[in-house]
Amino acid sequence: MSDTPPDRLCVNPRSPFYDDALLERGIGVRFNGVERHNVEEYCVSEGWVRLPVGKSLDRHGNAMTMKAKGTVEVWFLDAPPTA
């Protein structure tokens, strides 16, 4: 596993961009200079994050989200696992 976070990652297991091993390791996200802890999905190359909107849910039980555009920085919170 590399020490660089992926370009795009999602916390929803139904998403093709979901990766359980990376999420267990921990990902830090800074959006427009502010560290965020409630990011549902991000894309560094396109410069956007999906943030939950209140406590409302869609018809599938997922949090309602809004896409915000800006500068996205990501990093791992834990050191890489040793082999």
Side-chain angles (χ1 to χ4, degrees):
M1 189 181 302
S2 72
D3 200 34
T4 305
D7 178 58
R8 187 168 176 177
L9 187 64
C10 182
V11 298
N12 186 347
R14 290 184 239 168
S15 171
F17 300 105
Y18 175 80
D19 189 345
D20 189 39
L22 293 175
L23 292 172
E24 282 183 17
R25 186 172 171 192
I27 300 282
V29 179
R30 184 175 295 124
F31 179 65
N32 287 338
V34 178
E35 191 170 333
R36 304 296 300 246
H37 301 284
N38 62 344
V39 174
E40 295 281 326
E41 184 176 3
Y42 72 81
C43 183
V44 176
S45 62
E46 296 176 12
W48 58 262
V49 295
R50 286 204 177 272
L51 302 169
V53 180
K55 295 183 180 181
S56 56
L57 303 175
D58 66 6
R59 62 184 176 181
H60 302 289
N62 301 321
M64 296 286 286
T65 61
M66 68 175 195
K67 183 188 267 186
K69 294 186 177 189
T71 305
V72 180
E73 302 170 50
V74 295
W75 65 91
F76 284 116
L77 298 177
D78 293 336
T82 56

